[in-house]
């Protein structure tokens, strides 16, 4: 019954409702098609209208390849609708669940792209902090791209001054204490946990590179925020230093460019 109501609301706006892509505590995401252009999009629907409208406003501000493009948002009755770029691929948690081993170069590529996009957010005129980095939100595209979904917990430090948000196991401890400042250090912590998880699902034969990754992860997830890697630019430099002696890149079984991503990770 609820789906029929949404189908009617989307039809009025010029969209055809498709399959459900996922759902969370406060929202459901569907694949939709714009009737006029035939363009496929992802539409997030939520009863938390203020939250979803804020997410849409953030997406409108953002212009970076890591994040989905914003198309349209509106409110109707007791629901908010947010249409954005549909991103095909496989989430990182699905990659882990399927038992796929990442190469060292893939670990580097994924974390580097995440660090670059998060650095972009942190360096906006009014910095934005993502605050919910986890494998479920990281998508590996069929052509080898890396994308980050879901701005539901993202916002400025002021916006979240007294709000508890994040996913346990990835979010820093300070995110669960109202009134404690959560900014760059919290996103650094989460990226360190992502790196740690990827190392648990990788096959890296070069011990120097592996140990460099391990140390970087440890330096990101230190308990005290001021003792962590200071920012995403520093994180990126530390990543590159792990490959300092690989001047000509990797070859052989451990890395074969996007081919490995397509063959071993993205499956139809």
């Amino acid at each position: 019954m609820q789906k029929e109501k949404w189908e009617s609301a989307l039809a009025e706006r010029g969209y055809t409702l498709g399959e459900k892509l996922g759902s969370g505590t406060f929202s459901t995401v569907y694949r939709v098609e714009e009737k006029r252009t035939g363009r496929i999009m992802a539409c997030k629907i939520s009863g938390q209208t203020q939250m979803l409208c804020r997410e849409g406003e953030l997406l409108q501000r953002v212009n970076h390849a890591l994040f989905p493009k914003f198309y349209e948002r509106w409110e109707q009755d007791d629901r908010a609708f947010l249409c954005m770029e549909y991103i095909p691929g496989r989430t990182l948690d699905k990659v882990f669940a399927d038992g796929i081993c990442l190469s060292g170069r893939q670990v580097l590529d994924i974390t580097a792209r995440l660090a670059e996009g998060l650095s972009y957010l942190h360096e906006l005129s009014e910095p934005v902090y993502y605050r919910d980095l986890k494998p479920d939100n990281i998508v590996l595209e069929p052509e080898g791209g890396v994308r980050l979904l879901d701005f539901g917990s993202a916002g400025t430090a002021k916006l979240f001054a007294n709000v508890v948000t994040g996913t346990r196991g990835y979010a820093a401890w300070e995110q669960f204490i109202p009134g404690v400042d959560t900014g760059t250090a919290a996103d650094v912590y989460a990226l360190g946990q992502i790196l740690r998880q990827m190392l648990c699902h990788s096959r890296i034969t070069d011990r120097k590179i592996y140990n460099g990754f391990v140390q970087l992860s440890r330096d990101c997830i230190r308990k005290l925020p001021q003792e962590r890697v200071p920012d995403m630019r520093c994180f990126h430099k530390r990543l590159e230093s792990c490959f300092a002696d690989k001047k000509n890149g990797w070859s052989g079984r451990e890395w074969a460019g996007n081919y490995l991503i397509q063959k071993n990770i993205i499956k139809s």
Side-chain angles (χ1 to χ4, degrees):
M1 189 68 181
Q2 187 73 282
K3 184 178 179 180
E4 291 176 2
K5 181 180 178 181
W6 295 341
E7 189 170 22
S8 175
L10 284 161
E12 290 178 22
R13 201 78 179 188
Y15 296 100
T16 300
L17 183 66
E19 65 179 313
K20 184 167 78 171
L21 299 175
S23 60
T25 306
F26 301 112
S27 61
T28 304
V29 181
Y30 285 92
R31 177 173 170 161
V32 300
E33 180 180 344
E34 188 177 37
K35 295 177 182 178
R36 183 175 59 85
T37 64
R39 180 166 52 188
I40 301 299
M41 303 180 191
C43 182
K44 193 171 189 178
I45 306 171
S46 176
Q48 299 289 323
T49 56
Q50 186 176 4
M51 180 185 71
L52 197 62
C53 285
R54 175 179 50 77
E55 183 176 348
E57 289 170 359
L58 277 176
L59 277 179
Q60 281 183 284
R61 287 180 54 197
V62 170
N63 182 23
H64 191 281
L66 185 69
F67 310 109
K69 296 176 183 177
F70 167 88
Y71 289 123
E72 184 181 16
R73 64 182 171 88
W74 73 93
E75 293 180 44
Q76 186 169 334
D77 299 327
D78 58 346
R79 287 288 183 272
F81 298 78
L82 171 60
C83 285
M84 63 196 117
E85 180 184 6
Y86 168 68
I87 299 174
R90 177 168 291 196
T91 58
L92 192 57
D93 67 316
K94 188 69 166 64
V95 170
F96 294 160
D98 288 347
I100 296 169
C101 280
L102 300 170
S103 72
R105 186 71 194 194
Q106 287 169 328
V107 172
L108 170 72
D109 189 48
I110 294 167
T111 48
R113 295 193 198 193
L114 291 171
E116 182 186 349
L118 292 170
S119 180
Y120 164 84
L121 290 183
H122 297 172
E123 294 173 3
L124 289 171
S125 56
E126 186 177 13
V128 170
Y129 304 106
Y130 185 75
R131 295 168 56 85
D132 197 24
L133 190 65
K134 56 185 178 181
D136 314 47
N137 291 341
I138 300 167
V139 176
L140 306 184
E141 295 180 293
E143 297 304 317
V146 179
R147 308 296 294 276
L148 186 56
L149 309 180
D150 196 349
F151 265 57
S153 295
T156 63
K158 181 180 179 181
L159 181 65
F160 283 107
N162 293 296
V163 177
V164 172
T165 186
T167 300
R168 294 193 182 277
Y170 294 97
W173 62 267
E174 62 264 25
Q175 288 185 223
F176 300 104
I177 303 178
V180 175
D181 179 55
T182 57
T184 301
D187 280 347
V188 166
Y189 181 96
L191 187 53
Q193 290 286 28
I194 294 293
L195 174 55
R196 180 171 170 269
Q197 282 291 309
M198 285 196 289
L199 291 177
C200 293
H201 296 83
S202 67
R203 184 183 292 113
I204 304 174
T205 58
D206 189 311
R207 299 308 300 176
K208 183 178 179 181
I209 291 174
Y210 180 81
N211 291 338
F213 282 151
V214 170
Q215 189 58 55
L216 176 55
S217 175
R218 288 174 177 171
D219 289 343
C220 288
I221 62 176
R222 295 186 182 278
K223 183 175 182 180
L224 297 179
Q226 62 270 27
E227 292 182 356
R228 298 172 196 158
V229 174
D231 54 45
M232 292 299 168
R233 287 186 180 273
C234 182
F235 181 96
H236 202 287
K237 289 179 181 178
R238 289 276 301 271
L239 273 179
E240 290 180 340
S241 70
C242 293
F243 286 75
D245 60 345
K246 300 288 182 181
K247 295 180 181 179
N248 298 318
W250 284 25
S251 60
R253 294 181 63 186
E254 284 207 279
W255 175 243
N258 288 343
Y259 172 75
L260 277 183
I261 294 180
Q262 293 176 47
K263 182 177 177 59
N264 297 340
I265 295 179
I266 305 300
K267 300 176 181 178
S268 58

